[in-house]
């Protein structure tokens, strides 16, 4: 009899609880359904004002239900209702256009600025690698085959004549070899960027080595052309897309270094928390790197194989580099200065 009486009391308490508050839950649920399917402007002023009040009422009901261990199905319903209310009232409600705009106007440049130390190191490693590659091939041409794979060299080596090397630079779109090599070079650089980022978790060591090796390959190639008096011409040929592509690779390396160094030196955070924090900046950077590589591909496909003027090539390459630097590092400073 005592057990039955207790069960009856619980049922009566649950029924009373529902009777007192269920109208508010249903009203809140109906308002949420309307604004989720349509827009806030479909609600009247009184209904908009009622939303936060009904949300607090749902939270209060959830608190009571949990404290008194009422029906588990009711607790689950109130949790779901409160979560919907929270996301609507306090969550970010941005459309796709606004999200894309925020990424290009704020998130991506902010991530690049946050990585300025790692980016500086990545650029320095590229320069060091290029100097090393140039010096190694200049001292012993056998280093060329050790540094640059035959598929990437495209038949060019220290024994190639100046005429052969020059033909690659100025034959234009009529050369099937040039088109194929340009596509291969773009694919190679994209792979380098992805690997420099993806392997950064190993305390940044692979990222450093990949950036160094990429610079070494660049230096080795320049030595071959410079030895035949074509270094300036090769620089123009590469600069149309190279300033964008090499900058993208440097940023990818910087993103990998950020993750690796945070794992190696987490500070007051756990390694997992430090990696997660660094990963947010690095992931934003890598999305932008893919955009830069797409730009580089367009420049490579439409410019480098049809424009044969050295001055124009350098102007395009230098202009793109200046554009990226201004976009990432200068525009925000100018706005703050005017503010």
């Amino acid at each position: 009899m005592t057990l039955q009486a207790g069960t009856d009391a619980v049922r009566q308490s649950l029924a009373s609880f529902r009777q007192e508050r269920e109208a508010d839950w249903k009203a809140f649920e109906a308002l949420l359904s309307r604004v989720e399917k349509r827009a806030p402007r479909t609600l009247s002023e009184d209904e908009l004002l009622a939303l936060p009040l009904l949300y607090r009422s749902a939270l209060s009901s959830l608190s009571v239900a949990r404290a008194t261990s009422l029906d588990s199905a009711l607790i689950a319903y109130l949790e779901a209702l409160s979560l919907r209310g929270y996301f609507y009232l306090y969550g970010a409600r941005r459309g796709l256009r606004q999200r894309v705009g925020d990424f290009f106007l704020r998130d991506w440049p902010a991530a690049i600025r946050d990585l300025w130390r790692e980016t500086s190191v990545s650029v320095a490693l590229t320069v060091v690698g290029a100097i090393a590659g140039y010096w190694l091939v200049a001292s012993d041409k056998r280093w060329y085959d050790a540094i640059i794979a035959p598929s990437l060299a495209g038949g060019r080596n220290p024994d190639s004549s100046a005429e052969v090397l020059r033909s690659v630079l100025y034959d234009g779109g009529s050369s099937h070899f040039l088109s194929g090599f340009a596509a291969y070079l773009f694919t190679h650089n994209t792979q380098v960027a992805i690997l420099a980022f993806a392997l950064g978790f190993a305390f940044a060591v692979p990222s450093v080595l990949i950036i160094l090796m990429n610079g070494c390959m660049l230096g080795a190639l320049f030595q071959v052309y410079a030895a035949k008096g074509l270094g300036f011409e090769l620089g123009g040929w590469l600069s149309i897309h190279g300033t964008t592509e090499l900058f993208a690779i440097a940023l990818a390396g910087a993103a990998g270094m950020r993750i690796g160094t945070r794992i190696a030196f987490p500070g007051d955070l756990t390694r997992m928390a430090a990696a997660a924090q660094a990963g947010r900046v690095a992931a934003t950077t890598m999305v932008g790197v893919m955009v830069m590589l797409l730009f580089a591909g367009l420049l490579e496909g439409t410019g480098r194989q049809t424009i044969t003027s050295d001055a124009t090539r350098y102007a395009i390459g230098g202009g793109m580099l200046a554009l990226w630097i201004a976009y990432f590092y200068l525009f925000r400073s100018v706005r703050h200065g005017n503010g």
Side-chain angles (χ1 to χ4, degrees):
M1 291 291 294
T2 303
L3 180 60
Q4 182 64 36
T7 302
D8 291 341
V10 170
R11 289 177 178 173
Q12 185 177 1
S13 175
L14 178 59
S16 176
F17 182 76
R18 280 183 175 275
Q19 185 177 6
E20 291 175 2
R21 307 199 182 199
E22 191 168 17
D24 287 345
W25 307 338
K26 297 300 182 184
F28 187 40
E29 186 176 16
L31 290 178
L32 284 177
S33 297
R34 285 173 57 188
V35 295
E36 287 170 349
K37 292 178 180 178
R38 301 177 188 177
R41 62 177 176 271
T42 61
L43 302 183
S44 66
E45 183 177 348
D46 290 339
E47 288 172 330
L48 287 172
L49 293 174
L51 270 174
L53 299 176
L54 293 172
Y55 170 66
R56 285 194 289 270
S57 175
L59 287 179
S60 175
S61 299
L62 176 60
S63 177
V64 172
R66 284 173 171 171
T68 56
S69 301
L70 292 176
D71 182 23
S72 59
L74 176 62
I75 294 175
Y77 167 75
L78 290 173
E79 286 177 342
L81 182 63
S82 298
L83 188 60
R84 284 176 63 192
Y86 173 82
F87 278 123
Y88 179 76
L89 291 171
Y90 302 107
R93 299 183 301 279
R94 299 182 297 166
L96 178 61
R97 182 181 300 178
Q98 185 178 359
R99 291 180 183 179
V100 172
D102 286 347
F103 174 79
F104 284 104
L105 295 176
R106 184 183 61 195
D107 298 343
W108 183 22
I112 300 303
R113 287 192 294 270
D114 192 33
L115 288 172
W116 70 270
R117 293 181 182 85
E118 292 87 349
T119 302
S120 300
V121 172
S122 189
V123 171
L125 288 171
T126 301
V127 173
V128 170
I131 293 172
Y134 189 99
W135 179 79
L136 287 171
V137 175
S139 61
D140 186 347
K141 66 181 181 180
R142 288 176 296 182
W143 276 104
Y144 183 83
D145 292 330
I147 294 172
I148 299 183
S151 56
L152 186 60
R156 297 166 301 174
N157 57 63
D159 295 326
S160 299
S161 65
E163 291 73 20
V164 171
L165 297 177
R166 179 181 291 275
S167 68
V168 175
L169 302 181
Y170 297 104
D171 275 355
S174 61
S175 172
H176 294 293
F177 164 74
L178 180 58
S179 299
F181 177 72
Y184 178 82
L185 189 62
F186 171 72
T187 302
H188 166 79
N189 286 333
T190 301
Q191 291 172 343
V192 169
I194 293 173
L195 286 174
F197 166 70
L199 298 180
F201 71 91
F203 303 112
V205 174
S207 298
V208 170
L209 294 177
I210 289 171
I211 296 298
L212 273 173
M213 190 59 196
N214 195 61
C216 199
M217 292 164 55
L218 184 65
L221 184 62
F222 258 101
Q223 199 285 326
V224 169
Y225 274 83
K228 301 297 192 299
L230 295 171
F232 178 81
E233 290 79 358
L234 176 66
W237 187 72
L238 289 174
S239 67
I240 288 182
H241 77 100
T243 52
T244 297
E245 209 162 75
L246 290 174
F247 196 5
I249 292 173
L251 292 175
M257 290 178 202
R258 168 61 64 89
I259 293 177
T261 53
R262 287 296 186 271
I263 293 175
F265 308 103
D268 296 332
L269 302 175
T270 65
R271 293 192 189 279
M272 288 298 294
Q277 185 183 75
R280 287 190 286 271
V281 174
T284 301
T285 298
M286 281 306 296
V287 173
V289 165
M290 293 300 105
V291 174
M292 293 179 71
L293 290 174
L294 287 175
F295 267 102
L298 291 173
L299 290 169
E300 187 172 22
T302 61
R304 194 180 71 178
Q305 301 176 51
T306 56
I307 298 172
T308 57
S309 166
D310 292 330
T312 304
R313 287 173 170 178
Y314 275 106
I316 294 174
M320 288 304 302
L321 180 59
L323 179 64
W324 291 121
I325 291 174
Y327 171 56
F328 290 137
Y329 302 109
L330 300 182
F331 287 164
R332 181 172 178 266
S333 298
V334 171
R335 286 199 302 270
H336 283 188
N338 292 337

